[in-house]
Amino acid sequence: VRLGNLGFSLQSVVSIVYSIMLNFLMSRFGKLGPYIFSQIVQAVILSCTLFVKKTVTAIVLFGVLGICWANSMAVPWAIIGEITGKNAPELAGMYITIFNSSQAFPEVLVSVVAQWIVRATGSQTIILVMGGGVATLGALVLCIAQIDLPVMDPYF
């Protein structure tokens, strides 16, 4: 547990340092550049977990995930703030509230439902399997429906 806390601490430090640089990176490379970078970092780190043999390596990998955390906390808010500020400044508060709810509601839902599923099955792993299944189903629905999402020039 103590070494896990060390990993959390390292992740926090990396996140703070990267957050300080993030504004510069977004102004230099746009909002998409740092986002893509964080996705690549996350893919590499999660792939590397298969080869972790030492505790120190796990702590360092967990710490580097602070880059992804900083991006996921800042970039979506920067995008929604800029879009609402340009297109509908009088409705910005409502749009930001809806955006916040769209991020928070799934977490609350999983927190409430997961406890019942874990009690019924006796396994926490089933929650991860169900999460993966729901994500796969969502991707399948998007592929079948072939939904064309609008593309905004400054970001994509």
Side-chain angles (χ1 to χ4, degrees):
V1 170
R2 289 184 185 138
L3 293 177
N5 287 336
L6 183 60
F8 278 123
S9 298
L10 184 59
Q11 183 186 33
S12 297
V13 169
V14 170
S15 181
I16 289 168
V17 170
Y18 186 75
S19 293
I20 293 169
M21 300 183 318
L22 195 54
N23 192 31
F24 167 76
L25 293 172
M26 286 192 293
S27 64
R28 175 108 191 231
F29 300 107
K31 293 180 182 53
L32 188 61
Y35 177 76
I36 290 173
F37 174 71
S38 77
Q39 294 302 301
I40 292 169
V41 167
Q42 186 172 13
V44 169
I45 296 298
L46 293 178
S47 297
C48 287
T49 59
L50 298 171
F51 309 107
V52 172
K53 303 284 188 225
K54 296 182 179 181
T55 306
V56 174
T57 309
I59 291 170
V60 169
L61 290 177
F62 194 77
V64 175
L65 283 175
I67 293 171
C68 308
W69 182 253
N71 266 295
S72 65
M73 293 295 107
V75 174
W77 290 99
I79 292 171
I80 196 73
E82 189 171 321
I83 290 171
T84 56
K86 286 181 182 177
N87 298 330
E90 68 281 353
L91 298 174
M94 182 184 69
Y95 287 135
I96 290 174
T97 300
I98 292 170
F99 179 69
N100 186 35
S101 299
S102 73
Q103 289 186 321
F105 179 73
E107 295 173 17
V108 172
L109 182 65
V110 168
S111 297
V112 171
V113 173
Q115 63 181 334
W116 295 328
I117 295 171
V118 169
R119 281 187 198 141
T121 63
S123 171
Q124 295 177 355
T125 307
I126 192 71
I127 301 301
L128 299 175
V129 172
M130 290 175 69
V134 169
T136 303
L137 182 63
L140 182 64
V141 167
L142 289 175
C143 289
I144 291 172
Q146 295 181 359
I147 296 172
D148 290 327
L149 299 174
V151 177
M152 297 172 200
D153 292 334
Y155 310 112
F156 300 102

